Amino acid sequence: MSVVEEPIWLTQDALRQLQEELELLVREGAEDEQSQVRALELRGIIRRAQVGERPDDGIVEPGMRVTVEFDADGSRETFLLGSRTLLGADSDLAVYSPDSPLGQAIAGLLPGDRFSYAAPSGATIAGAVADAVPHS
C-alpha cells in the first residue's frame, strides 16, 4: 500500500531558498545528526514542491492561512497550517502543525464550520473557522 503525499505549495523564491539551504548542507557534509535530519526534511519538501498559486477551494489544509474564532472569548487567531519551513525568515505569522490538536480539529473544514478539541490541559476548546485562504 502506498502513501499519497500532498503537494507542498511554494513560491519560486521559497523553493529556491530551500534548494540553496540543502546545497549548503551537502557542501558542508551534513555530518551531525541535526543537519542530516534537516537535509532529509528539505529533500522531502523539495520532492513534493508545487510552484505556483495554490488552488483556493476554501478547505482547511496544510499551506492555508487560517483564521479561527474561539467561543470562550470571541478572540480570533490567524496562522499558517503547515510548517515554519514554508514561511520566509522574516515572517511573524504563527504556525500550527496539521498534527497539533487544533490542526487535527480543523483539517478539512470550510469557513463557517465549527470545531472542538481537547487541549493538553484537558479543557475543551471550541470555535469556528472564520477564513481559510492559500498562503502566499
Side-chain angles (χ1 to χ4, degrees), residues 21 25 30-42:
E21 182 181 350
L25 285 171
E31 295 176 9
D32 65 272
E33 185 177 345
Q34 184 177 1
S35 294
Q36 290 175 0
V37 168
R38 179 65 178 153
L40 186 62
E41 177 186 29
L42 289 169

Side-chain angles (χ1 to χ4, degrees), residues 86-108:
L86 303 178
L87 292 177
D90 58 346
S91 178
D92 60 352
L93 184 64
V95 177
Y96 283 83
S97 167
D99 297 326
S100 69
L102 175 58
Q104 291 178 358
I106 63 174

Side-chain angles (χ1 to χ4, degrees), residues 6 54 57-64 66-68 79-82 96-111 113-117 127-129 131-132:
E6 292 288 323
R54 174 184 198 93
D57 56 10
I59 297 172
V60 175
E61 55 195 348
M64 299 293 277
V66 181
T67 301
V68 296
F79 55 89
L80 172 68
L81 185 64
Y96 283 83
S97 167
D99 297 326
S100 69
L102 175 58
Q104 291 178 358
I106 63 174
L109 298 182
L110 292 165
D113 289 347
R114 301 203 44 77
F115 65 86
S116 68
Y117 65 95
V129 175
D131 194 30

Side-chain angles (χ1 to χ4, degrees), residues 2-47:
S2 65
V3 175
V4 176
E5 292 184 325
E6 292 288 323
I8 298 175
W9 291 89
L10 299 172
T11 64
Q12 186 63 49
D13 188 49
L15 178 59
R16 181 189 50 74
Q17 289 175 12
L18 295 176
Q19 290 169 328
E20 288 174 358
E21 182 181 350
L22 178 59
E23 288 171 14
L24 180 63
L25 285 171
V26 170
R27 265 196 314 271
E28 293 177 350
E31 295 176 9
D32 65 272
E33 185 177 345
Q34 184 177 1
S35 294
Q36 290 175 0
V37 168
R38 179 65 178 153
L40 186 62
E41 177 186 29
L42 289 169
R43 284 186 180 102
I45 292 169
I46 292 167
R47 184 184 74 248

